[in-house]
Amino acid sequence: MEVVAVECCKIEYGARRAVEALAAGELVVMPTDTVYGLAARADDRPACERIFKAKRRPADRPLPVLLAEPGELEAVAREVSDAVRALAEAFWPGPLTIVVPKSDAVPDWVTAGRDTVGVRVPDDPIARLVLRMADFLVAVTSANLSDEPTRADGRSCAAELAEKVAVVLEAGPRTQRPSTVVHVDRGKVRVLRKGPVGASELKRALEAAGV
């Protein structure tokens, strides 16, 4: 396991090493704006299966996809409603995961066979550099055993996982809660997981956009 401290001068080197590992089908632990994430190349089925094994994650629990820019949403969503667009504009980059109808670009093994995918743009320069440098979609979920707390630093996250991690991008403590997760259907927003973005904030964003 290679640990790269990316708090200062090694950001580009660390991102490059992470992308090389992901491209080769390896697992990577990297920081986000909420908690540390466990990442794999989304179009590599064995790599994604290793995420499930590493986390001891139930097979019916889908993996989210992280994007570098809000404008990439159309590439992974089969359709983008006005409400989804309003929430993305209000909270991305940031701690809001939006569940949308998936496009053919997102493999079924990422979504556990579901017709939807959770998507987010993290507000973290290291994560976004990795995502920007990768020429493939990246599936990223919290770097912890399923239903267990996520450790504050990358090394600790990697150490407790049940599968080997190739690269850890260590960027200091991450202590926030995981992102808020919402599903939007016919303009109505349902909160699937509570997090940093509250229901009142979601409502205000939709009202401001006239949705």
Side-chain angles (χ1 to χ4, degrees):
M1 180 176 71
E2 179 181 0
V3 178
V4 182
V6 290
E7 292 175 283
C8 50
C9 58
K10 290 189 176 181
I11 293 177
E12 289 192 11
Y13 170 78
R16 185 171 65 253
R17 287 292 300 118
V19 171
E20 289 171 353
L22 291 169
E26 302 288 350
L27 299 183
V28 168
V29 168
M30 67 182 194
T32 76
D33 51 337
T34 55
V35 298
Y36 274 86
L38 179 63
R41 180 171 179 158
D43 61 359
D44 187 327
R45 184 168 190 166
C48 290
E49 289 175 347
R50 290 186 63 208
I51 286 186
F52 285 91
K53 291 178 182 177
K55 288 174 60 71
R56 297 177 181 148
R57 185 180 182 90
D60 62 349
R61 197 175 293 180
L63 302 175
V65 169
L66 295 191
L67 304 176
E69 303 293 340
E72 297 173 2
L73 176 60
E74 283 77 5
V76 297
R78 189 170 65 252
E79 58 185 62
V80 179
S81 68
D82 290 341
V84 167
R85 198 176 303 279
L87 293 178
E89 290 177 355
F91 298 106
W92 285 358
L96 180 68
T97 298
I98 307 174
V99 177
V100 296
K102 81 175 189 70
S103 73
D104 291 340
V106 183
D108 289 342
W109 55 77
V110 170
T111 63
R114 301 186 189 185
D115 197 36
T116 56
V117 61
V119 187
R120 186 166 86 87
V121 178
D123 190 13
D124 182 277
I126 300 165
R128 292 181 71 187
L129 181 57
V130 171
L131 298 167
R132 197 174 293 120
M133 291 175 66
D135 59 359
F136 44 80
L137 286 179
V138 183
V140 187
T141 184
S142 56
N144 60 314
L145 296 177
S146 285
D147 302 321
E148 295 291 333
T150 304
R151 306 301 178 188
D153 63 280
R155 291 177 179 86
S156 298
C157 288
E160 79 166 4
L161 294 169
E163 285 277 303
K164 180 182 177 183
V165 173
V167 175
V168 176
L169 300 185
E170 182 60 68
R174 293 294 187 272
T175 57
Q176 282 201 47
R177 293 176 292 168
S179 65
T180 301
V181 180
V182 299
H183 180 244
V184 182
D185 184 25
R186 299 175 186 176
K188 294 183 178 180
V189 178
R190 181 161 58 101
V191 177
L192 304 181
R193 182 178 71 194
K194 293 181 179 180
V197 180
S200 61
E201 295 173 90
L202 296 168
K203 182 179 179 181
R204 284 197 299 270
L206 293 175
E207 290 175 346
V211 178

